[in-house]
Amino acid sequence: MHTATIRRYYVWQMPVRVYHWVNALCILSLCITGYLIGSPLAIQSGSEASFGYWFGTVRFIHFVSAFVFFFNFVGRIYWGFVGNKYAQWKNFIWHRKEQVKEIVDVLKVDILQAKIGPLKSIGHNTLASFTYFLSFLAFLFQCMTGFGMYAAMSHAWLPQMFAWVVPLMGGDFAVRQWHHLTMWFFILFSIVHVYLVFYHDYVEGRGVLSSMVGGWKFIEEEKK
Ligand code: HEM
Ligand code: HEM
């Protein structure tokens, strides 16, 4: 029987966990409502048009989710400066040689299903961090294009801050196309992300999956 000393590490603080699940719920709501805005259902009704306000409700849910998504994202940016060492921004882009080695190792695990020793990282592995960084850039792009379009419908300061995006990108039509295309990035990201966290939970045996709920990971101690 293999015996080992396991140490538990408090990796994801409450703000990171709350951010993660609020973000996941917002993405779900924004993808469903966004898809419906792009391809509206042809609902037939004999009643007065003003009684059937379903498309308005879909847009309303999209915009409410968008504001929650935006401020939640701003909160995570702030936490990248003041949070613990696993939440810090410097984790998201590799800058050391051993991190490049870890990316190659993770690719071997994920694509070739090879067995390797335990990973050095306790927080996100280097490859995962980098994909999260790319997703943060996509969040930013989606907020800029979304609020850019919304600026035509609201005089509030937040959308107006992004009013310059629409003329810069060649008008409403082009912005909507890019905004739509980025939705598919989130759908693909989510499918691959959920698969990989389940897979890593199994191959690493460190409690990766539950770490985003309770905050703890369980790491085998090196023998001295
Ligand atoms: C992950 C985040 C988001 C996703 C997946 C998403 C998705 C979509 C999609 C697919 C459309 C329809 C585009 C089309 O085909 O015509 C849309 C429309 C729109 N979205 Fe988003 N969106 C997101 C975030 C945001 C944010 C942060 C805002 C900011 C207010 C926003 C504002 C808008 C506006 C104003 C429209 C046009 C509505 C209309 O003309 O009726 N979206 N969104
Ligand atoms: C059932 C759905 C989901 C599960 C079970 C899940 C699980 C997890 C877990 C366990 C981690 C930490 C992995 C690690 O330690 O490296 C994580 C991180 C992350 N997930 Fe998810 N996730 C889900 C949905 C989503 C969705 C829909 C998105 C956005 C499109 C998302 C974006 C992220 C991001 C950005 C991080 C990094 C968090 C940070 O450092 O701030 N997740 N997820």
Side-chain angles (χ1 to χ4, degrees):
M1 195 175 70
H2 171 70
T3 51
T5 316
I6 305 283
R7 198 170 148 199
R8 66 176 197 161
Y9 287 81
Y10 187 57
V11 180
W12 309 125
Q13 296 162 295
M14 177 74 93
V16 174
R17 277 137 55 206
V18 170
Y19 155 77
H20 177 270
W21 294 112
V22 170
N23 185 57
L25 286 178
C26 286
I27 297 270
L28 183 69
S29 154
L30 287 161
C31 287
I32 295 172
T33 52
Y35 185 85
L36 287 171
I37 294 171
S39 312
L41 299 173
I43 296 177
Q44 309 278 316
S45 163
S47 68
E48 279 291 331
S50 57
F51 293 151
Y53 191 64
W54 78 270
F55 194 72
T57 309
V58 168
R59 290 178 78 227
F60 178 71
I61 298 173
H62 194 80
F63 302 147
V64 171
S65 312
F67 275 84
V68 176
F69 172 79
F70 177 80
F71 285 107
N72 190 45
F73 178 42
V74 171
R76 180 65 181 90
I77 294 176
Y78 169 71
W79 204 253
F81 295 104
V82 300
N84 69 8
K85 62 178 174 185
Y86 306 109
Q88 293 278 327
W89 283 115
K90 62 176 184 292
N91 294 308
F92 286 86
I93 301 181
W94 70 81
H95 51 277
R96 291 194 310 269
K97 223 176 173 178
E98 68 259 28
Q99 290 177 308
V100 178
K101 184 182 172 300
E102 189 174 77
I103 293 185
V104 176
D105 283 348
V106 175
L107 284 172
K108 282 187 197 156
V109 175
D110 291 352
I111 297 172
L112 305 176
Q113 306 207 320
K115 266 196 177 154
I116 53 157
L119 295 177
K120 273 248 169 343
S121 311
I122 295 174
H124 303 310
N125 72 55
T126 314
L127 182 63
S129 303
F130 185 62
T131 61
Y132 300 145
F133 178 69
L134 293 183
S135 80
F136 289 133
L137 291 183
F139 291 158
L140 185 67
F141 182 77
Q142 203 67 342
C143 288
M144 288 170 69
T145 51
F147 281 112
M149 287 189 282
Y150 196 66
M153 307 166 220
S154 163
H155 295 294
W157 61 270
L158 178 54
Q160 287 307 322
M161 254 172 48
F162 297 96
W164 53 272
V165 175
V166 175
L168 183 80
M169 288 179 67
D172 271 321
F173 183 71
V175 175
R176 265 183 90 133
Q177 297 279 341
W178 283 109
H179 193 77
H180 189 119
L181 197 68
T182 313
M183 173 183 72
W184 288 103
F185 167 81
F186 289 119
I187 294 174
L188 288 179
F189 171 90
S190 303
I191 294 170
V192 175
H193 171 66
V194 174
Y195 163 72
L196 283 179
V197 288
F198 275 70
Y199 181 60
H200 275 262
D201 189 79
Y202 170 69
V203 288
E204 290 180 31
R206 293 167 152 193
V208 170
L209 192 50
S210 66
S211 71
M212 224 7 122
V213 180
W216 300 93
K217 279 194 186 177
F218 307 92
I219 312 291
E220 232 175 83
E221 291 257 276
E222 271 181 31
K223 290 197 184 65
K224 302 234 163 66

